[in-house]
Amino acid sequence: MDEKRTILFVTSNSGKLDEARLALNPFGLNIESFRFNEEFTKIEEIQSSELRHVAKDKLRKAVTIVNNSSNKLGVMVEDAGFFIDELDGFPGVYSSYVHETLGIQGIIKILTGIENRDACFKCVIGIHLDDEELFFEGECKGQVSGKAVGTNGFGYDPIFIPDEGNGRTFAEMNSKEKQKFSHRGKAMEALRAYLQQRNQSPTSNQCSES
Ligand code: IMP
């Protein structure tokens, strides 16, 4: 594929990478993961109450890392969080830490006996194209299930039932279905629509003017 249409996605999450490819490859955008010594690159996240701030900081770090080896390609990062209404949005920006420590069983336990199961996923994609930083957001509302169901996807997928999706968790859906409803699918669609609207490839001159 033409290198000019390649975006380097700096992530250590292969699930996110697969979903980005699924969303953007059909539109002629080649999504490659940035690896160092064959390893996925994990970027240290700042502590902030805003996903967007985290994404912005991640993007700048990613651009620095990538520019050390190549300054020709678009660079993308993504930050997501799981926000539970009854817990005032927790784990939110702490979703990664909570997933590693409490895990989904811990969340199920915390919510035992609680009627309000409303929750949402949010994600912010940050992309650096030439000298411009762009951000695209997506949100998906739903419910936290009482038990883990399904084996697809990653992270909190087995305990999240999106409002659209016939009562199934994300982990019961294949990636195409998840993409239709998901926070990431929506943010990727916003990115794709933006690029299409400006009728350009990620590295064209127009897009580089901020
Ligand atoms: P981060 O964006 O990598 O910081 O993700 C925060 C946490 O949310 C991690 O534990 C992810 O596994 C989880 N997460 C992010 N996106 C999704 C998703 O689409 N489904 C389920 N869990 C997710």
Side-chain angles (χ1 to χ4, degrees), residues 1-2 11 16 18 30 53 56 78 83 88 99 103 138 153 158 161 181 189 194 209:
M1 178 157 313
D2 181 357
T11 180
K16 287 185 178 184
D18 291 345
N30 183 35
H53 292 161
K56 193 168 187 167
E78 191 250 56
F83 297 77
D88 293 333
H99 188 262
I161 304 170
F181 314 123
E189 172 55 24
Y194 170 83
E209 291 167 7

Side-chain angles (χ1 to χ4, degrees), residues 47-199:
Q47 205 75 75
S48 167
S49 57
E50 295 284 329
L51 286 183
R52 204 184 168 95
H53 292 161
V54 179
K56 193 168 187 167
D57 179 74
K58 260 185 172 177
L59 184 59
R60 290 186 177 172
K61 286 172 180 161
V63 168
T64 306
I65 294 168
V66 169
N67 278 350
N68 285 339
S69 46
S70 163
N71 59 6
K72 292 187 187 120
L73 307 171
V75 179
M76 181 166 80
V77 298
E78 191 250 56
D79 200 56
F82 187 41
F83 297 77
I84 299 173
D85 282 15
E86 189 67 20
L87 306 179
D88 293 333
F90 184 82
V93 290
Y94 308 105
S95 296
S96 188
Y97 177 73
V98 169
H99 188 262
E100 280 165 24
T101 51
L102 296 178
I104 54 179
Q105 292 306 330
I107 296 289
I108 289 170
K109 212 166 160 183
I110 291 171
L111 293 184
T112 301
I114 289 175
E115 212 173 301
N116 177 10
R117 316 292 297 188
D118 292 350
C120 74
F121 271 115
K122 293 181 192 175
C123 109
V124 178
I125 293 171
I127 184 159
H128 184 272
L129 299 167
D130 296 329
D131 287 328
E132 192 174 17
E133 284 177 352
L134 302 165
F135 296 91
F136 300 89
E137 301 185 7
E139 188 173 324
C140 176
K141 292 190 171 153
Q143 303 279 308
V144 185
S145 68
K147 59 179 182 173
V149 187
T151 53
N152 297 331
F154 62 93
Y156 297 93
D157 281 347
I159 56 166
F160 183 72
I161 304 170
D163 286 344
E164 311 150 279
N166 302 325
R168 289 167 303 150
T169 66
F170 269 162
E172 291 180 282
M173 299 179 186
N174 63 38
S175 31
K176 269 201 172 155
E177 281 179 291
K178 178 182 170 186
Q179 190 201 355
K180 270 197 282 182
F181 314 123
S182 82
H183 47 305
R184 188 164 300 102
K186 287 171 187 161
M188 292 287 170
E189 172 55 24
L191 164 62
R192 185 205 61 73
Y194 170 83
L195 293 172
Q196 192 176 44
Q197 191 191 17
R198 291 185 43 170
N199 191 25

Side-chain angles (χ1 to χ4, degrees), residues 9-41:
F9 189 7
V10 184
T11 180
S12 57
N13 183 325
S14 60
K16 287 185 178 184
L17 181 63
D18 291 345
E19 290 182 17
R21 284 182 168 149
L22 186 73
L24 299 176
N25 281 358
F27 302 100
L29 294 165
N30 183 35
I31 309 300
E32 289 299 325
S33 68
F34 179 73
R35 295 178 195 223
F36 189 69
N37 291 340
E38 301 299 311
E39 298 282 332
F40 279 129
T41 307

